[in-house]
Amino acid sequence: DTAVSQTPKYLVTQMGNDKSIKCEQNLGHDTMYWYKQDSKKFLKIMFSYNNKELIINETVPNRFSPKSPDKAHLNLHINSLELGDSAVYFCASREGGNTEAFFGQGTRLTVV
Amino acid sequence: ELKVEQNPLFLSMQEGKNYTIYCNYSTTSDRLYWYRQDPGKSLESLFVLLSNGAVKQEGRLMASLDTKARLSTLHITAAVHDLSATYFCFPQTSGSRLTFGEGTQLTVNP
């Protein structure tokens, strides 16, 4: 069973479109994250939710909007996609503040 | 704010050689994780170092933690091609933020 699953794995879309990436974890964790990984492999935190509540909101454009319908899901919606949004987006989850994080397989977003 | 620095960021080495990757961090942490990311894949936890002086080994990789120096090392012994990947360190601090190092992209050449 996949612990943290993201869909889709690949997403190619045109500039200006709106798209969503979904994430689900079946580990019973309270905290979920979205990270953006650029071409240099740097992992930048975007958002974090704890029990459906937003706790970290980094300085990302407000075109990015996370939504957590329940603690097992954290989705990422992106409006008006730009070329610079092309990256790999990772979802992660963990239980509490002192445990390892588990990552999804990543969503490679390409904006053309 | 926690800052995490890894070096080197890029490492190209020959099979059979030894090398060490360093992870320095700026605030108090008594637990540190190392993760591995294969090209095009997700991140997987390699080691968790739970206290000052902790050492963990798996195969050709050995990680250590010095909480007083705020330094962790990942030592590679007799590298093989299968170790080619990006390695990230992640010092655990209070709060929910996960701050990773920049990653070390390791390429092991035959």
Side-chain angles (χ1 to χ4, degrees):
Chain A
D1 282 347
T2 304
V4 182
S5 60
Q6 293 178 230
T7 53
K9 190 172 180 183
Y10 299 97
L11 184 52
V12 181
T13 187
Q14 291 193 322
M15 282 175 57
N17 283 350
D18 303 338
K19 290 292 177 187
S20 290
I21 307 171
K22 295 188 175 181
C23 179
E24 175 181 4
Q25 53 95 2
N26 62 7
L27 299 165
H29 290 167
D30 288 332
T31 307
M32 295 183 73
Y33 302 83
W34 277 110
Y35 280 85
K36 179 180 180 181
Q37 186 174 46
D38 60 24
S39 57
K40 294 181 181 175
K41 304 292 185 186
F42 183 67
L43 278 164
K44 180 177 164 50
I45 189 167
M46 301 174 70
F47 301 104
S48 176
Y49 272 73
N50 183 270
N51 273 322
K52 302 193 299 175
E53 186 179 332
L54 180 66
I55 52 172
I56 294 174
N57 184 354
E58 287 295 296
T59 49
V60 299
N62 57 15
R63 300 181 293 103
F64 290 79
S65 53
K67 280 198 171 53
S68 181
D70 55 60
K71 77 172 195 176
H73 295 84
L74 180 60
N75 303 324
L76 183 65
H77 187 76
I78 315 169
N79 289 327
S80 304
L81 278 153
E82 300 177 358
L83 292 176
D85 297 332
S86 296
V88 181
Y89 292 83
F90 284 99
C91 175
S93 76
R94 66 173 176 161
E95 179 63 31
N98 235 8
T99 60
E100 75 176 276
F102 292 82
F103 283 80
Q105 75 272 35
T107 296
R108 182 173 293 276
L109 171 65
T110 305
V111 182
V112 298
Chain B
E1 182 185 323
L2 173 64
K3 299 239 185 287
V4 185
E5 291 184 354
Q6 284 182 235
N7 75 82
L9 298 183
F10 299 93
L11 176 54
S12 179
M13 58 191 297
Q14 294 224 302
E15 281 191 329
K17 299 292 187 185
N18 305 331
Y19 207 86
T20 300
I21 299 170
Y22 296 89
C23 171
N24 288 91
Y25 52 95
S26 60
T27 64
T28 302
S29 170
D30 59 3
R31 179 181 295 220
L32 186 138
Y33 298 88
W34 281 95
Y35 281 77
R36 170 180 172 149
Q37 184 182 29
D38 290 319
K41 302 288 186 185
S42 186
L43 283 84
E44 292 186 0
S45 176
L46 274 176
F47 300 110
V48 53
L49 302 163
L50 296 175
S51 60
N52 186 40
V55 176
K56 289 272 183 81
Q57 179 155 11
E58 183 170 321
R60 300 172 188 272
L61 298 176
M62 184 172 73
S64 66
L65 178 61
D66 181 343
T67 57
K68 291 177 183 169
R70 297 179 183 168
L71 170 69
S72 180
T73 61
L74 182 65
H75 187 73
I76 303 153
T77 302
V80 293
H81 181 70
D82 285 352
L83 290 179
S84 297
T86 301
Y87 294 86
F88 293 91
C89 65
F90 156 40
Q92 176 78 61
T93 57
S94 61
S96 298
R97 184 177 298 272
L98 302 180
T99 303
F100 286 85
E102 308 101 313
T104 297
Q105 295 186 46
L106 171 64
T107 303
V108 181
N109 303 304

